[in-house]
Amino acid sequence: MSAHSPGSAQPGDEAQDLLRALIRFNTVNPPGDERAAQEFLAARLAAAGFECELLGADPGRPNLIARLRATSPGGDVGAGPTLCYLGHVDTVLADPAEWTHDPWSGDLADGFIWGRGALDMKSQVAAEVAAGASLAREGWRPATGELLIVTVADEETGGELGAQWITQTHPEKVRCDMLINEGGGSVFEYSGRRCYGVCCAEKGVFRFTVTTDGIAGHASMPGMGDNALLKMAPVLQRLAQRQPAYRLTDEPRELLRGIGEDPDDPAGAIARLRAADPRLAIMFEAMLGVTFTPTRIRASEKVNVIPSRAELRIDCRVPPGLGESEVRAGIAEVLGEDGFRIDFTERVVGNRSPMRTALMREVSTWIAEHDPGAEVVPFMLPGFSDSRHFRAAFPECVAYGFCPHSHQTLMSSAPLIHGADERIDVRDLSLAASFFRDLAVRVLS
Ligand SMILES: [Zn+2]
């Protein structure tokens, strides 16, 4: 393993130019409209030596697959691993009235690049493309295996035209052994430690409806009928009071250990985290088990009719490895057993990649070199990313969320993602570009 990349190019400058250009393509999804941004990236990568293809179900919303194969004598694509850098080029919407800089300006000001997608995740795409393009232009090629850069459309609304489509429709084109995507890498500090989260696991989604029944009646006489909506009051009260008991899976156990806490005392760990930084406690607590969040309620169709039925929707997130039986246990624990009915509307089991792998060692070694004394710790994403589709399609693939940011911390980035004034510290963009360059060289040389 060499610690040095060939050549002396600084891919950070190229990543800055790419990011500013990418932000200026308005790819708010819906409608997404990603084609122009994808063609722009394809042109850059093709000029550097990548084989590029644009494939999609919707002509206006293609996915880009860019491939750099081994060409050295004896080098054989089949013999080595495929390392894939994954990103999405669509973004959520933005209201310019709430921003200091126009969200599609790509302005460079005060050491930051500003705009929608500056963190989620045009920055990582720009760093990945700058890394790959600069290596390819210098003549670097994998000794064995191949480097894939895949930028997809349609992540923000679930990936139906993006990662899900490409892994199901053209699995042979995006098959990979190792994958780096979004979901981790911003530094955080806790009790004297500097840590970088590597996202190894993503929660599943088991949404359900709680229904109460009653008898309809005229609303002018409250005692008439039997009001199903009022029966939701105790249900909501219980949901406000508590969550299901913690059920720590391997990743949060390792995370707590990594930050110097005892995984056998999660309540104590969360209390100490809360005292140190309530935002850290909120983020980490969501990784520790099944969670219930009530989000919608409906009852009578008419204001003058006492409802005979009320329905409460619960957004329930479940660690990988756990499923409906753990959710039902949580319901019994939090809501009891009587007075309502439960119907599941979604049952998607979460997925994960192993924590102890060659890829993790490379990430960990790189961080140790670039931020001496800092450590990597495993994260579980309380939500999910496109990695889920790749893990589902390629069970052997090790997929992590990681893009190193050492200046802009986890706590300072989190509120900007999907929020106003999204921006990235240009030093972190350079750091990320160096990381993606070094990782490709180390894994594929
Ligand atoms: Zn994203």
Side-chain angles (χ1 to χ4, degrees), residues 171-207:
E172 71 291 350
K173 291 183 188 287
V174 292
R175 185 178 302 282
C176 52
D177 305 288
M178 287 172 259
L179 178 134
I180 301 281
N181 182 29
E182 64 181 333
S186 293
V187 73
F188 66 92
E189 295 189 1
Y190 178 64
S191 71
R193 294 164 192 246
R194 270 174 77 77
C195 301
Y196 292 79
V198 179
C199 183
C200 302
E202 305 188 359
K203 284 180 123 180
V205 181
F206 280 71
R207 298 195 173 106

PDB file of all heavy atoms in Angstrom, residues 171-207:
ATOM      1  N   PRO A 171     -27.885  -4.255 -13.587  1.00  0.00           N
ATOM      2  CA  PRO A 171     -26.994  -4.603 -12.468  1.00  0.00           C
ATOM      3  C   PRO A 171     -25.561  -4.869 -12.922  1.00  0.00           C
ATOM      4  O   PRO A 171     -24.617  -4.524 -12.216  1.00  0.00           O
ATOM      5  CB  PRO A 171     -27.644  -5.864 -11.870  1.00  0.00           C
ATOM      6  CG  PRO A 171     -28.583  -6.368 -12.915  1.00  0.00           C
ATOM      7  CD  PRO A 171     -29.018  -5.177 -13.705  1.00  0.00           C
ATOM      8  N   GLU A 172     -25.401  -5.455 -14.116  1.00  0.00           N
ATOM      9  CA  GLU A 172     -24.038  -5.795 -14.568  1.00  0.00           C
ATOM     10  C   GLU A 172     -23.187  -4.545 -14.784  1.00  0.00           C
ATOM     11  O   GLU A 172     -21.969  -4.594 -14.710  1.00  0.00           O
ATOM     12  CB  GLU A 172     -24.099  -6.658 -15.845  1.00  0.00           C
ATOM     13  CG  GLU A 172     -24.539  -5.955 -17.108  1.00  0.00           C
ATOM     14  CD  GLU A 172     -26.026  -5.523 -17.162  1.00  0.00           C
ATOM     15  OE1 GLU A 172     -26.840  -5.919 -16.297  1.00  0.00           O
ATOM     16  OE2 GLU A 172     -26.364  -4.783 -18.103  1.00  0.00           O
ATOM     17  N   LYS A 173     -23.831  -3.413 -15.038  1.00  0.00           N
ATOM     18  CA  LYS A 173     -23.072  -2.179 -15.299  1.00  0.00           C
ATOM     19  C   LYS A 173     -22.617  -1.478 -14.021  1.00  0.00           C
ATOM     20  O   LYS A 173     -21.713  -0.649 -14.064  1.00  0.00           O
ATOM     21  CB  LYS A 173     -23.910  -1.205 -16.137  1.00  0.00           C
ATOM     22  CG  LYS A 173     -24.131  -1.684 -17.565  1.00  0.00           C
ATOM     23  CD  LYS A 173     -24.890  -0.641 -18.361  1.00  0.00           C
ATOM     24  CE  LYS A 173     -25.300  -1.153 -19.739  1.00  0.00           C
ATOM     25  NZ  LYS A 173     -24.151  -1.257 -20.663  1.00  0.00           N
ATOM     26  N   VAL A 174     -23.270  -1.749 -12.918  1.00  0.00           N
ATOM     27  CA  VAL A 174     -22.902  -1.048 -11.677  1.00  0.00           C
ATOM     28  C   VAL A 174     -22.488  -2.006 -10.555  1.00  0.00           C
ATOM     29  O   VAL A 174     -22.322  -1.589  -9.406  1.00  0.00           O
ATOM     30  CB  VAL A 174     -24.040  -0.120 -11.182  1.00  0.00           C
ATOM     31  CG1 VAL A 174     -24.242   1.040 -12.136  1.00  0.00           C
ATOM     32  CG2 VAL A 174     -25.341  -0.894 -10.992  1.00  0.00           C
ATOM     33  N   ARG A 175     -22.305  -3.276 -10.922  1.00  0.00           N
ATOM     34  CA  ARG A 175     -21.883  -4.260  -9.916  1.00  0.00           C
ATOM     35  C   ARG A 175     -20.542  -3.815  -9.324  1.00  0.00           C
ATOM     36  O   ARG A 175     -19.645  -3.407 -10.045  1.00  0.00           O
ATOM     37  CB  ARG A 175     -21.741  -5.631 -10.571  1.00  0.00           C
ATOM     38  CG  ARG A 175     -21.416  -6.761  -9.624  1.00  0.00           C
ATOM     39  CD  ARG A 175     -21.346  -8.085 -10.363  1.00  0.00           C
ATOM     40  NE  ARG A 175     -22.598  -8.398 -11.066  1.00  0.00           N
ATOM     41  CZ  ARG A 175     -23.696  -8.874 -10.457  1.00  0.00           C
ATOM     42  NH1 ARG A 175     -23.682  -9.113  -9.165  1.00  0.00           N
ATOM     43  NH2 ARG A 175     -24.795  -9.109 -11.150  1.00  0.00           N
ATOM     44  N   CYS A 176     -20.421  -3.864  -8.012  1.00  0.00           N
ATOM     45  CA  CYS A 176     -19.170  -3.424  -7.394  1.00  0.00           C
ATOM     46  C   CYS A 176     -18.920  -4.199  -6.108  1.00  0.00           C
ATOM     47  O   CYS A 176     -19.829  -4.789  -5.531  1.00  0.00           O
ATOM     48  CB  CYS A 176     -19.219  -1.915  -7.118  1.00  0.00           C
ATOM     49  SG  CYS A 176     -20.671  -1.374  -6.209  1.00  0.00           S
ATOM     50  N   ASP A 177     -17.661  -4.195  -5.700  1.00  0.00           N
ATOM     51  CA  ASP A 177     -17.255  -4.897  -4.485  1.00  0.00           C
ATOM     52  C   ASP A 177     -17.177  -3.956  -3.295  1.00  0.00           C
ATOM     53  O   ASP A 177     -17.357  -4.364  -2.148  1.00  0.00           O
ATOM     54  CB  ASP A 177     -15.877  -5.542  -4.698  1.00  0.00           C
ATOM     55  CG  ASP A 177     -15.881  -6.452  -5.908  1.00  0.00           C
ATOM     56  OD1 ASP A 177     -16.495  -7.535  -5.813  1.00  0.00           O
ATOM     57  OD2 ASP A 177     -15.322  -6.075  -6.955  1.00  0.00           O
ATOM     58  N   MET A 178     -16.851  -2.693  -3.593  1.00  0.00           N
ATOM     59  CA  MET A 178     -16.734  -1.684  -2.539  1.00  0.00           C
ATOM     60  C   MET A 178     -17.409  -0.417  -3.037  1.00  0.00           C
ATOM     61  O   MET A 178     -17.244  -0.063  -4.209  1.00  0.00           O
ATOM     62  CB  MET A 178     -15.262  -1.382  -2.254  1.00  0.00           C
ATOM     63  CG  MET A 178     -14.553  -2.483  -1.518  1.00  0.00           C
ATOM     64  SD  MET A 178     -12.793  -2.137  -1.453  1.00  0.00           S
ATOM     65  CE  MET A 178     -12.229  -3.194  -2.753  1.00  0.00           C
ATOM     66  N   LEU A 179     -18.118   0.244  -2.151  1.00  0.00           N
ATOM     67  CA  LEU A 179     -18.834   1.438  -2.568  1.00  0.00           C
ATOM     68  C   LEU A 179     -18.723   2.510  -1.486  1.00  0.00           C
ATOM     69  O   LEU A 179     -18.838   2.224  -0.297  1.00  0.00           O
ATOM     70  CB  LEU A 179     -20.308   1.080  -2.802  1.00  0.00           C
ATOM     71  CG  LEU A 179     -21.223   2.238  -3.206  1.00  0.00           C
ATOM     72  CD1 LEU A 179     -22.115   1.803  -4.381  1.00  0.00           C
ATOM     73  CD2 LEU A 179     -22.109   2.667  -2.069  1.00  0.00           C
ATOM     74  N   ILE A 180     -18.462   3.735  -1.929  1.00  0.00           N
ATOM     75  CA  ILE A 180     -18.490   4.872  -1.005  1.00  0.00           C
ATOM     76  C   ILE A 180     -19.588   5.820  -1.466  1.00  0.00           C
ATOM     77  O   ILE A 180     -19.631   6.227  -2.626  1.00  0.00           O
ATOM     78  CB  ILE A 180     -17.143   5.633  -0.975  1.00  0.00           C
ATOM     79  CG1 ILE A 180     -15.989   4.714  -0.547  1.00  0.00           C
ATOM     80  CG2 ILE A 180     -17.251   6.840  -0.042  1.00  0.00           C
ATOM     81  CD1 ILE A 180     -15.876   4.447   0.926  1.00  0.00           C
ATOM     82  N   ASN A 181     -20.471   6.157  -0.527  1.00  0.00           N
ATOM     83  CA  ASN A 181     -21.618   7.009  -0.811  1.00  0.00           C
ATOM     84  C   ASN A 181     -21.724   8.036   0.311  1.00  0.00           C
ATOM     85  O   ASN A 181     -20.837   8.158   1.138  1.00  0.00           O
ATOM     86  CB  ASN A 181     -22.868   6.112  -0.916  1.00  0.00           C
ATOM     87  CG  ASN A 181     -24.134   6.862  -1.268  1.00  0.00           C
ATOM     88  OD1 ASN A 181     -24.097   7.891  -1.945  1.00  0.00           O
ATOM     89  ND2 ASN A 181     -25.263   6.349  -0.810  1.00  0.00           N
ATOM     90  N   GLU A 182     -22.822   8.770   0.344  1.00  0.00           N
ATOM     91  CA  GLU A 182     -23.032   9.772   1.388  1.00  0.00           C
ATOM     92  C   GLU A 182     -23.425   9.097   2.709  1.00  0.00           C
ATOM     93  O   GLU A 182     -23.724   7.920   2.748  1.00  0.00           O
ATOM     94  CB  GLU A 182     -24.137  10.740   0.956  1.00  0.00           C
ATOM     95  CG  GLU A 182     -25.489  10.067   0.796  1.00  0.00           C
ATOM     96  CD  GLU A 182     -26.583  11.021   0.340  1.00  0.00           C
ATOM     97  OE1 GLU A 182     -26.493  12.218   0.616  1.00  0.00           O
ATOM     98  OE2 GLU A 182     -27.546  10.549  -0.281  1.00  0.00           O
ATOM     99  N   GLY A 183     -23.425   9.884   3.778  1.00  0.00           N
ATOM    100  CA  GLY A 183     -23.954   9.387   5.053  1.00  0.00           C
ATOM    101  C   GLY A 183     -22.989   9.456   6.228  1.00  0.00           C
ATOM    102  O   GLY A 183     -23.365   9.108   7.340  1.00  0.00           O
ATOM    103  N   GLY A 184     -21.749   9.896   6.009  1.00  0.00           N
ATOM    104  CA  GLY A 184     -20.813   9.979   7.133  1.00  0.00           C
ATOM    105  C   GLY A 184     -19.623  10.837   6.774  1.00  0.00           C
ATOM    106  O   GLY A 184     -19.518  11.349   5.661  1.00  0.00           O
ATOM    107  N   GLY A 185     -18.715  10.995   7.751  1.00  0.00           N
ATOM    108  CA  GLY A 185     -17.436  11.626   7.467  1.00  0.00           C
ATOM    109  C   GLY A 185     -17.208  12.995   8.062  1.00  0.00           C
ATOM    110  O   GLY A 185     -16.094  13.507   8.010  1.00  0.00           O
ATOM    111  N   SER A 186     -18.265  13.620   8.646  1.00  0.00           N
ATOM    112  CA  SER A 186     -18.046  14.924   9.276  1.00  0.00           C
ATOM    113  C   SER A 186     -17.561  14.721  10.705  1.00  0.00           C
ATOM    114  O   SER A 186     -18.140  13.948  11.459  1.00  0.00           O
ATOM    115  CB  SER A 186     -19.345  15.736   9.304  1.00  0.00           C
ATOM    116  OG  SER A 186     -19.720  16.069   7.996  1.00  0.00           O
ATOM    117  N   VAL A 187     -16.523  15.432  11.065  1.00  0.00           N
ATOM    118  CA  VAL A 187     -15.907  15.230  12.374  1.00  0.00           C
ATOM    119  C   VAL A 187     -16.845  15.673  13.497  1.00  0.00           C
ATOM    120  O   VAL A 187     -17.670  16.583  13.312  1.00  0.00           O
ATOM    121  CB  VAL A 187     -14.566  16.004  12.431  1.00  0.00           C
ATOM    122  CG1 VAL A 187     -14.797  17.504  12.541  1.00  0.00           C
ATOM    123  CG2 VAL A 187     -13.680  15.493  13.561  1.00  0.00           C
ATOM    124  N   PHE A 188     -16.771  14.987  14.635  1.00  0.00           N
ATOM    125  CA  PHE A 188     -17.437  15.484  15.843  1.00  0.00           C
ATOM    126  C   PHE A 188     -16.511  15.233  17.030  1.00  0.00           C
ATOM    127  O   PHE A 188     -15.630  14.392  16.973  1.00  0.00           O
ATOM    128  CB  PHE A 188     -18.813  14.825  16.069  1.00  0.00           C
ATOM    129  CG  PHE A 188     -18.778  13.349  16.371  1.00  0.00           C
ATOM    130  CD1 PHE A 188     -18.732  12.895  17.689  1.00  0.00           C
ATOM    131  CD2 PHE A 188     -18.798  12.415  15.353  1.00  0.00           C
ATOM    132  CE1 PHE A 188     -18.710  11.531  17.982  1.00  0.00           C
ATOM    133  CE2 PHE A 188     -18.765  11.056  15.631  1.00  0.00           C
ATOM    134  CZ  PHE A 188     -18.727  10.606  16.941  1.00  0.00           C
ATOM    135  N   GLU A 189     -16.714  16.026  18.075  1.00  0.00           N
ATOM    136  CA  GLU A 189     -15.860  15.895  19.251  1.00  0.00           C
ATOM    137  C   GLU A 189     -16.718  15.539  20.441  1.00  0.00           C
ATOM    138  O   GLU A 189     -17.841  16.037  20.603  1.00  0.00           O
ATOM    139  CB  GLU A 189     -15.093  17.198  19.499  1.00  0.00           C
ATOM    140  CG  GLU A 189     -14.121  17.477  18.370  1.00  0.00           C
ATOM    141  CD  GLU A 189     -13.163  18.627  18.644  1.00  0.00           C
ATOM    142  OE1 GLU A 189     -13.229  19.208  19.744  1.00  0.00           O
ATOM    143  OE2 GLU A 189     -12.350  18.916  17.750  1.00  0.00           O
ATOM    144  N   TYR A 190     -16.197  14.621  21.246  1.00  0.00           N
ATOM    145  CA  TYR A 190     -16.912  14.228  22.455  1.00  0.00           C
ATOM    146  C   TYR A 190     -15.911  13.761  23.501  1.00  0.00           C
ATOM    147  O   TYR A 190     -15.065  12.912  23.200  1.00  0.00           O
ATOM    148  CB  TYR A 190     -17.927  13.112  22.144  1.00  0.00           C
ATOM    149  CG  TYR A 190     -18.657  12.638  23.381  1.00  0.00           C
ATOM    150  CD1 TYR A 190     -19.495  13.496  24.090  1.00  0.00           C
ATOM    151  CD2 TYR A 190     -18.487  11.339  23.855  1.00  0.00           C
ATOM    152  CE1 TYR A 190     -20.148  13.072  25.230  1.00  0.00           C
ATOM    153  CE2 TYR A 190     -19.141  10.899  24.997  1.00  0.00           C
ATOM    154  CZ  TYR A 190     -19.973  11.772  25.691  1.00  0.00           C
ATOM    155  OH  TYR A 190     -20.601  11.355  26.829  1.00  0.00           O
ATOM    156  N   SER A 191     -16.007  14.287  24.648  1.00  0.00           N
ATOM    157  CA  SER A 191     -15.143  13.998  25.800  1.00  0.00           C
ATOM    158  C   SER A 191     -13.674  13.844  25.381  1.00  0.00           C
ATOM    159  O   SER A 191     -13.027  12.842  25.657  1.00  0.00           O
ATOM    160  CB  SER A 191     -15.642  12.775  26.585  1.00  0.00           C
ATOM    161  OG  SER A 191     -15.450  11.585  25.891  1.00  0.00           O
ATOM    162  N   GLY A 192     -13.212  14.872  24.677  1.00  0.00           N
ATOM    163  CA  GLY A 192     -11.795  14.928  24.329  1.00  0.00           C
ATOM    164  C   GLY A 192     -11.386  14.103  23.124  1.00  0.00           C
ATOM    165  O   GLY A 192     -10.213  14.064  22.769  1.00  0.00           O
ATOM    166  N   ARG A 193     -12.339  13.429  22.479  1.00  0.00           N
ATOM    167  CA  ARG A 193     -12.001  12.642  21.292  1.00  0.00           C
ATOM    168  C   ARG A 193     -12.484  13.343  20.033  1.00  0.00           C
ATOM    169  O   ARG A 193     -13.531  13.988  20.056  1.00  0.00           O
ATOM    170  CB  ARG A 193     -12.694  11.268  21.332  1.00  0.00           C
ATOM    171  CG  ARG A 193     -12.198  10.391  22.442  1.00  0.00           C
ATOM    172  CD  ARG A 193     -13.187   9.240  22.647  1.00  0.00           C
ATOM    173  NE  ARG A 193     -12.855   8.552  23.892  1.00  0.00           N
ATOM    174  CZ  ARG A 193     -12.415   7.299  23.952  1.00  0.00           C
ATOM    175  NH1 ARG A 193     -12.282   6.584  22.853  1.00  0.00           N
ATOM    176  NH2 ARG A 193     -12.119   6.749  25.109  1.00  0.00           N
ATOM    177  N   ARG A 194     -11.718  13.172  18.958  1.00  0.00           N
ATOM    178  CA  ARG A 194     -12.176  13.611  17.637  1.00  0.00           C
ATOM    179  C   ARG A 194     -12.545  12.369  16.845  1.00  0.00           C
ATOM    180  O   ARG A 194     -11.724  11.465  16.682  1.00  0.00           O
ATOM    181  CB  ARG A 194     -11.043  14.331  16.902  1.00  0.00           C
ATOM    182  CG  ARG A 194     -10.984  15.823  17.133  1.00  0.00           C
ATOM    183  CD  ARG A 194      -9.757  16.430  16.491  1.00  0.00           C
ATOM    184  NE  ARG A 194      -9.888  16.597  15.037  1.00  0.00           N
ATOM    185  CZ  ARG A 194     -10.596  17.576  14.464  1.00  0.00           C
ATOM    186  NH1 ARG A 194     -11.247  18.444  15.199  1.00  0.00           N
ATOM    187  NH2 ARG A 194     -10.646  17.686  13.146  1.00  0.00           N
ATOM    188  N   CYS A 195     -13.766  12.311  16.357  1.00  0.00           N
ATOM    189  CA  CYS A 195     -14.237  11.102  15.684  1.00  0.00           C
ATOM    190  C   CYS A 195     -14.864  11.430  14.338  1.00  0.00           C
ATOM    191  O   CYS A 195     -15.475  12.484  14.156  1.00  0.00           O
ATOM    192  CB  CYS A 195     -15.295  10.394  16.531  1.00  0.00           C
ATOM    193  SG  CYS A 195     -14.728   9.908  18.166  1.00  0.00           S
ATOM    194  N   TYR A 196     -14.715  10.473  13.417  1.00  0.00           N
ATOM    195  CA  TYR A 196     -15.356  10.548  12.104  1.00  0.00           C
ATOM    196  C   TYR A 196     -16.276   9.338  11.964  1.00  0.00           C
ATOM    197  O   TYR A 196     -15.819   8.203  12.080  1.00  0.00           O
ATOM    198  CB  TYR A 196     -14.317  10.504  10.986  1.00  0.00           C
ATOM    199  CG  TYR A 196     -13.422  11.721  10.906  1.00  0.00           C
ATOM    200  CD1 TYR A 196     -12.350  11.878  11.774  1.00  0.00           C
ATOM    201  CD2 TYR A 196     -13.653  12.715   9.960  1.00  0.00           C
ATOM    202  CE1 TYR A 196     -11.530  12.990  11.696  1.00  0.00           C
ATOM    203  CE2 TYR A 196     -12.831  13.831   9.871  1.00  0.00           C
ATOM    204  CZ  TYR A 196     -11.776  13.966  10.740  1.00  0.00           C
ATOM    205  OH  TYR A 196     -10.966  15.073  10.664  1.00  0.00           O
ATOM    206  N   GLY A 197     -17.539   9.577  11.724  1.00  0.00           N
ATOM    207  CA  GLY A 197     -18.480   8.472  11.552  1.00  0.00           C
ATOM    208  C   GLY A 197     -18.411   7.892  10.148  1.00  0.00           C
ATOM    209  O   GLY A 197     -18.372   8.635   9.173  1.00  0.00           O
ATOM    210  N   VAL A 198     -18.368   6.570  10.076  1.00  0.00           N
ATOM    211  CA  VAL A 198     -18.478   5.875   8.786  1.00  0.00           C
ATOM    212  C   VAL A 198     -19.822   5.163   8.805  1.00  0.00           C
ATOM    213  O   VAL A 198     -20.065   4.315   9.675  1.00  0.00           O
ATOM    214  CB  VAL A 198     -17.344   4.847   8.596  1.00  0.00           C
ATOM    215  CG1 VAL A 198     -17.500   4.116   7.265  1.00  0.00           C
ATOM    216  CG2 VAL A 198     -15.982   5.521   8.694  1.00  0.00           C
ATOM    217  N   CYS A 199     -20.686   5.505   7.877  1.00  0.00           N
ATOM    218  CA  CYS A 199     -22.029   4.932   7.902  1.00  0.00           C
ATOM    219  C   CYS A 199     -22.001   3.507   7.349  1.00  0.00           C
ATOM    220  O   CYS A 199     -21.729   3.297   6.172  1.00  0.00           O
ATOM    221  CB  CYS A 199     -22.992   5.801   7.102  1.00  0.00           C
ATOM    222  SG  CYS A 199     -24.646   5.151   7.200  1.00  0.00           S
ATOM    223  N   CYS A 200     -22.264   2.539   8.235  1.00  0.00           N
ATOM    224  CA  CYS A 200     -22.200   1.116   7.883  1.00  0.00           C
ATOM    225  C   CYS A 200     -23.591   0.494   7.779  1.00  0.00           C
ATOM    226  O   CYS A 200     -23.724  -0.612   7.280  1.00  0.00           O
ATOM    227  CB  CYS A 200     -21.460   0.334   8.959  1.00  0.00           C
ATOM    228  SG  CYS A 200     -19.801   0.894   9.252  1.00  0.00           S
ATOM    229  N   ALA A 201     -24.590   1.153   8.326  1.00  0.00           N
ATOM    230  CA  ALA A 201     -25.915   0.536   8.426  1.00  0.00           C
ATOM    231  C   ALA A 201     -26.987   1.600   8.259  1.00  0.00           C
ATOM    232  O   ALA A 201     -26.765   2.764   8.601  1.00  0.00           O
ATOM    233  CB  ALA A 201     -26.070  -0.133   9.787  1.00  0.00           C
ATOM    234  N   GLU A 202     -28.117   1.194   7.723  1.00  0.00           N
ATOM    235  CA  GLU A 202     -29.224   2.117   7.513  1.00  0.00           C
ATOM    236  C   GLU A 202     -30.507   1.459   8.005  1.00  0.00           C
ATOM    237  O   GLU A 202     -30.742   0.277   7.762  1.00  0.00           O
ATOM    238  CB  GLU A 202     -29.311   2.483   6.025  1.00  0.00           C
ATOM    239  CG  GLU A 202     -27.980   3.031   5.532  1.00  0.00           C
ATOM    240  CD  GLU A 202     -28.003   3.591   4.125  1.00  0.00           C
ATOM    241  OE1 GLU A 202     -29.060   3.550   3.480  1.00  0.00           O
ATOM    242  OE2 GLU A 202     -26.939   4.078   3.687  1.00  0.00           O
ATOM    243  N   LYS A 203     -31.307   2.240   8.689  1.00  0.00           N
ATOM    244  CA  LYS A 203     -32.505   1.661   9.282  1.00  0.00           C
ATOM    245  C   LYS A 203     -33.562   1.298   8.243  1.00  0.00           C
ATOM    246  O   LYS A 203     -33.619   1.890   7.164  1.00  0.00           O
ATOM    247  CB  LYS A 203     -33.100   2.645  10.296  1.00  0.00           C
ATOM    248  CG  LYS A 203     -32.336   2.689  11.617  1.00  0.00           C
ATOM    249  CD  LYS A 203     -32.963   3.677  12.567  1.00  0.00           C
ATOM    250  CE  LYS A 203     -33.350   3.005  13.871  1.00  0.00           C
ATOM    251  NZ  LYS A 203     -33.971   3.994  14.809  1.00  0.00           N
ATOM    252  N   GLY A 204     -34.401   0.360   8.616  1.00  0.00           N
ATOM    253  CA  GLY A 204     -35.556   0.012   7.808  1.00  0.00           C
ATOM    254  C   GLY A 204     -36.755   0.862   8.204  1.00  0.00           C
ATOM    255  O   GLY A 204     -36.720   1.616   9.179  1.00  0.00           O
ATOM    256  N   VAL A 205     -37.814   0.735   7.416  1.00  0.00           N
ATOM    257  CA  VAL A 205     -39.017   1.551   7.599  1.00  0.00           C
ATOM    258  C   VAL A 205     -40.220   0.625   7.777  1.00  0.00           C
ATOM    259  O   VAL A 205     -40.520  -0.173   6.888  1.00  0.00           O
ATOM    260  CB  VAL A 205     -39.240   2.461   6.372  1.00  0.00           C
ATOM    261  CG1 VAL A 205     -40.471   3.333   6.576  1.00  0.00           C
ATOM    262  CG2 VAL A 205     -38.016   3.335   6.115  1.00  0.00           C
ATOM    263  N   PHE A 206     -40.856   0.708   8.936  1.00  0.00           N
ATOM    264  CA  PHE A 206     -42.058  -0.096   9.206  1.00  0.00           C
ATOM    265  C   PHE A 206     -43.182   0.848   9.620  1.00  0.00           C
ATOM    266  O   PHE A 206     -43.542   0.938  10.788  1.00  0.00           O
ATOM    267  CB  PHE A 206     -41.783  -1.116  10.328  1.00  0.00           C
ATOM    268  CG  PHE A 206     -41.055  -2.342   9.875  1.00  0.00           C
ATOM    269  CD1 PHE A 206     -39.719  -2.287   9.509  1.00  0.00           C
ATOM    270  CD2 PHE A 206     -41.707  -3.573   9.791  1.00  0.00           C
ATOM    271  CE1 PHE A 206     -39.037  -3.421   9.079  1.00  0.00           C
ATOM    272  CE2 PHE A 206     -41.044  -4.706   9.360  1.00  0.00           C
ATOM    273  CZ  PHE A 206     -39.708  -4.634   9.011  1.00  0.00           C
ATOM    274  N   ARG A 207     -43.707   1.587   8.630  1.00  0.00           N
ATOM    275  CA  ARG A 207     -44.755   2.552   8.977  1.00  0.00           C
ATOM    276  C   ARG A 207     -46.057   1.824   9.266  1.00  0.00           C
ATOM    277  O   ARG A 207     -46.361   0.810   8.643  1.00  0.00           O
ATOM    278  CB  ARG A 207     -44.937   3.549   7.825  1.00  0.00           C
ATOM    279  CG  ARG A 207     -43.663   4.351   7.571  1.00  0.00           C
ATOM    280  CD  ARG A 207     -43.904   5.578   6.703  1.00  0.00           C
ATOM    281  NE  ARG A 207     -42.675   6.373   6.643  1.00  0.00           N
ATOM    282  CZ  ARG A 207     -41.872   6.450   5.573  1.00  0.00           C
ATOM    283  NH1 ARG A 207     -42.186   5.823   4.453  1.00  0.00           N
ATOM    284  NH2 ARG A 207     -40.767   7.168   5.622  1.00  0.00           N
TER     285      ARG A 207
END
